[in-house]
Amino acid sequence: MAKTFGHSALLVLVFLSILSEYSEQLQSSQVQTLLRLKQLLNSPAVLSSWTNDTDFCNTEPSPSVTVVCYDKSITQLLIIGEKGTPPLPHSFSIDSFFTTLVKIPTLKVLTLVSIGLWGPLPSKIARLSSLEIFNVSSNFISGAIPQEISSLTNIQTLILDDNMFNGQLPHWLSSLSVLSVLSLKRNSLEGVLPESLGSLENLRILDLSHNHFLGQVPDLSSLTSLQVLDLENNSLGPQFPHVNKKIVFLVLRNNKFSSGIPSEVSSYYQLQKLDISLNRFVGPFTPSLLGLPSITYLSISGNRFTGMLFENLSCNSGLEYVDLSSNLLTGKLPDCFLSNSKDLTVLYFGNCLNTGDKSQHQFSFCRNEALAVGILPHRRKREQTSKIVLAFSISGGIIGGIALVGLAFVIARRVHLKQTKGTVPPRSIAESASTGYSSKLMSEARYVSQATRLGALGLPAYRMFSLEELEEATDSFDTSTFLDQGSHGQMYRGRMKDGSFVAIRCLKMKRSQTTQSFMHYIELISKLRHRHLVSALGHCFECYLDDSSVSRLFLVFEFVPNRTLRSWVSKRGARRTLTWAQRIAAAIGVAKGIQFLHTGIVPSVFANNLKITDIFLDQNLVAKISSYNLPFLAESMRQLLYLGFHRVKHEEKSDVYDFGVILLEIIMGRPLDSTDEVDVERDQLQRVITADNAARRSAVDPAIHNGYADESVKTMMEICIRCLVKDPVDRPSIEDVLWNLQFAAQVQDAWHGDTQSSDGSPVSLVQPPHRQRNLQ
């Protein structure tokens, strides 16, 4: 018996030894797989700590890298790179990457965000059959969504945002029976949405925004779990989509919906956000939407809603944002807009409301516009209809009389022209010939001063380029001329026949858009020129032959070759660095560019997300802003005006904060790439600004020591700190910033004894202020 027991114990030990050895081999295999992935990804910084000795299953997770194991097998892998990470090198192969990745078949969660992946998603993704969460957002993955994903029957979350996927949304999505999150926003997907979307009964979030989808939205009312539906910026319509009453977020902004709001929307008791702006909705607005029990955000702007608002309308006390602008509403603003206990933002420009300000049209405008689109005011319809018929009868008689008078005038005019042929004044000929586009837009988007008109001197006239010119300038858009890939298309460097260089941005368009759709935008950008902006020189349309719709739009900008401002002030090892006077001049240039964007054109351009890497210096070291928040490719002037007049509260102060960050780097000469770094350096400036000269010197870039006036540096520090305060209300205006920058320049010029001002103009012409303006 004892002998038998001894043999059994020995057998168990041998089995455990074999099992342990197998487990170690399995773990070692997966370690090698991870290290191979690191190698294929070109060893990004987020993976720098991975080595042969790394205990992946017991490593503390971080926001950038997480590895989770179960039974010595990897079940979760998360790699998240820096936002804006460029594509991996040409030597990278996404096929090889996934060939390696599928060697970890136990993966349930796979997140690969902002790591530069490019190329079509390989079909071998199907081998990861255990996947429950798959997120490859913010990469450069292109091509169609592979059908092999349909075999991932355990998938619950599929996120492919911010890539370059194209083609139609596949009908086989219905096979993903447990799918609860489907997010495909910011791709180039197109076509009609498949009816199979309505059978994904577990779906909670559906985000298809910023694609090229068109046509009717399938019936989603049977999706009882659906809480978020975001279809923004497509061409969907015309009927309002059918969804269940438990919807929480419903965003239909910037589509082609043209029906009215269904009555059942008033019963969406869980609805928190409803955005149906920039569509073609008509009919009466339903005021009861303001009183929905959960509503916090409501935007109906840019439509043709009619109806009368009353002072005693009730609102949900939780309302935070309401935008009723650019409709045909009449009456008075509800008292609840003013009495709400929360900080409520209300926009109502472009209606016929009785508000006593100039932001409203006359009552007759809304009435006539409603008639023009076939909307009859809903009160006393029969009586008003008879009045309308009578009005049209009278109008017909009047129009007939006018036509007769007009005919007589035309005959008389022709006789007069024959008599005066050949004597047309030269002035009228010159004026007619000088008009490149219709002037309706620029009569509204006017420049505010003679100084801004002079801002574009030195640039060639804005013109239309031919596609052949641009192809010749870029060697048919050869990869050697590629400069950058952004959300607004690819940027290329081109050399024109006269030897000048240009920057060409190429944008792929929706097929439904014609050249006429862009003319208002083109007219606006053609006039947006200033000494301190990278200005537009022209444009070119490439059209489809079958229907003449635009396939690509090319925007041609001036080319500024002299590197970014950062490379001149905070890049170590640079050939040259700017003197203190030159840094002030660059700051003044950026401030003048911001001032022009804010006040030099209507509609104004705010929230430009300015960075020091967006500022370039030309051959004369003049600073130019290369990135500004234009209402890109707006479909009508009404949208442009809407975007200009309806600003978020204190929106202009976000540019002042961004300018403060740029100023901080100019002063300290160190790159600042995070909010935490900015806060630390700002606090340091706060400590030294009231100290002595030596303390301030410790905070200033050592490259400019002994080359500045202490009072000038102190003034710049004060400006910087005020721009960086947390509350936008307490930040100075850009005019006050510019005033104090010029004061700092004047102090520096006096200290240095220069005969030129810091922005390169004679002192007698600049006339900077003689005392510092209070930034409070």
Side-chain angles (χ1 to χ4, degrees), residues 56-251:
F56 290 100
C57 294
N58 294 298
T59 301
E60 193 70 24
S62 73
S64 300
V65 179
T66 298
V67 179
V68 177
C69 302
Y70 181 76
D71 278 348
K72 291 188 178 293
S73 294
I74 299 172
T75 57
Q76 299 185 33
L77 175 61
L78 292 85
I79 306 175
I80 302 175
E82 295 286 338
K83 184 178 180 181
T85 297
L88 287 164
H90 289 294
S91 57
F92 171 77
S93 168
I94 194 170
D95 192 69
S96 297
F97 179 80
F98 273 88
T99 299
T100 303
L101 191 61
V102 297
K103 294 178 181 178
I104 314 177
T106 51
L107 277 174
K108 293 180 180 293
V109 177
L110 177 59
T111 296
L112 305 169
V113 175
S114 295
I115 57 175
L117 300 177
W118 62 269
L121 189 62
S123 59
K124 53 177 63 73
I125 183 69
R127 299 182 192 175
L128 297 174
S129 56
S130 299
L131 270 186
E132 297 176 2
I133 297 176
F134 183 46
N135 181 357
V136 288
S137 57
S138 299
N139 285 291
F140 303 88
I141 303 175
S142 57
I145 301 174
Q147 185 173 355
E148 286 73 14
I149 289 181
S150 63
S151 64
L152 302 178
T153 54
N154 295 312
I155 199 78
Q156 299 174 23
T157 298
L158 179 61
I159 304 176
L160 310 178
D161 300 340
D162 292 287
N163 277 286
M164 302 166 68
F165 285 104
N166 55 36
Q168 297 191 347
L169 194 62
H171 61 85
W172 48 255
L173 285 170
S174 57
S175 64
L176 304 178
S177 58
V178 296
L179 189 66
S180 62
V181 177
L182 176 60
S183 188
L184 308 173
K185 63 186 178 185
R186 295 191 182 89
N187 279 285
S188 296
L189 297 166
E190 59 189 5
V192 177
L193 299 180
E195 293 291 333
S196 58
L197 282 177
S199 62
L200 291 171
E201 54 188 38
N202 290 300
L203 202 61
R204 290 187 300 105
I205 297 174
L206 177 59
D207 192 341
L208 305 177
S209 59
H210 299 276
N211 280 284
H212 307 312
F213 294 119
L214 51 85
Q216 189 61 37
V217 179
D219 189 347
L220 305 177
S221 57
S222 62
L223 305 185
T224 55
S225 300
L226 188 65
Q227 296 179 342
V228 176
L229 176 61
D230 192 343
L231 303 175
E232 179 180 353
N233 199 22
N234 283 285
S235 296
L236 296 165
Q239 296 299 316
F240 199 98
H242 296 287
V243 295
N244 78 89
K245 295 184 178 182
K246 296 180 182 179
I247 196 77
V248 177
F249 290 85
L250 181 56
V251 181

Side-chain angles (χ1 to χ4, degrees), residues 592-608:
K592 285 182 176 180
I594 296 173
Q595 183 188 41
F596 175 79
L597 292 171
H598 286 191
T599 64
I601 194 167
V602 178
S604 302
V605 182
F606 297 98
N608 292 284

Side-chain angles (χ1 to χ4, degrees), residues 524-755:
L524 175 60
I525 197 174
S526 70
K527 299 297 190 288
L528 193 60
R529 294 176 144 209
H530 190 268
R531 184 175 187 236
H532 296 292
L533 297 182
V534 176
S535 304
L537 304 179
H539 70 277
C540 171
F541 291 115
E542 182 184 32
C543 299
Y544 293 106
L545 294 178
D546 52 354
D547 60 1
S548 298
S549 61
V550 177
S551 61
R552 288 191 295 178
L553 169 62
F554 300 91
L555 296 176
V556 183
F557 295 88
E558 62 175 320
F559 183 71
V560 184
N562 210 358
R563 296 180 289 148
T564 66
L565 180 57
R566 167 171 282 181
S567 69
W568 285 87
V569 299
S570 54
K571 186 175 181 180
R572 296 294 169 245
R575 297 188 300 274
R576 289 177 57 191
T577 187
L578 298 183
T579 65
W580 182 246
Q582 289 170 331
R583 294 181 189 219
I584 299 176
I588 289 174
V590 176
K592 285 182 176 180
I594 296 173
Q595 183 188 41
F596 175 79
L597 292 171
H598 286 191
T599 64
I601 194 167
V602 178
S604 302
V605 182
F606 297 98
N608 292 284
N609 193 26
L610 298 170
K611 299 179 179 64
I612 195 168
T613 51
D614 294 328
I615 312 301
F616 285 79
L617 301 184
D618 69 7
Q619 63 274 17
N620 298 316
L621 300 184
V622 174
K624 291 178 177 286
I625 300 173
S626 69
S627 177
Y628 29 85
N629 183 27
L630 285 172
F632 234 77
L633 305 180
E635 293 183 356
S636 68
M637 182 59 201
R638 178 167 59 83
Q639 285 182 235
L640 290 177
L641 293 177
Y642 165 83
L643 292 166
F645 285 116
H646 295 76
R647 293 162 31 207
V648 177
K649 197 173 183 181
H650 309 302
E651 189 179 27
E652 72 276 9
K653 295 300 182 70
S654 66
D655 286 335
V656 172
Y657 180 88
D658 292 340
F659 178 76
V661 176
I662 294 172
L663 203 56
L664 187 61
E665 191 163 325
I666 287 175
I667 294 170
M668 310 196 82
R670 291 193 292 276
L672 302 171
D673 294 316
S674 71
T675 303
D676 292 339
E677 288 181 275
V678 171
D679 292 342
V680 169
E681 300 299 352
R682 179 201 61 209
D683 293 343
Q684 181 183 352
L685 281 195
Q686 187 76 61
R687 288 191 297 270
V688 305
I689 196 169
T690 56
D692 56 15
N693 186 358
R696 281 190 290 276
R697 179 182 295 271
S698 66
V700 175
D701 186 359
I704 56 171
H705 279 179
N706 303 317
Y708 59 82
D710 180 61
E711 182 65 22
S712 176
V713 166
K714 185 177 179 182
T715 300
M716 291 276 277
M717 289 181 173
E718 290 172 347
I719 301 169
C720 180
I721 290 171
R722 295 303 303 157
C723 289
L724 294 175
V725 296
K726 295 297 183 182
D727 191 343
V729 179
D730 296 330
R731 295 172 197 157
S733 67
I734 194 62
E735 287 76 17
D736 285 342
V737 169
L738 187 55
W739 179 285
N740 284 272
L741 287 172
Q742 290 175 327
F743 174 80
Q746 185 185 38
V747 171
Q748 179 65 18
D749 288 344
W751 178 84
H752 197 267
D754 286 341
T755 59

Side-chain angles (χ1 to χ4, degrees), residues 407-418:
L407 181 60
F409 173 78
V410 170
I411 295 172
R413 178 68 173 166
R414 287 184 176 177
V415 172
H416 174 71
L417 287 176
K418 287 181 180 180

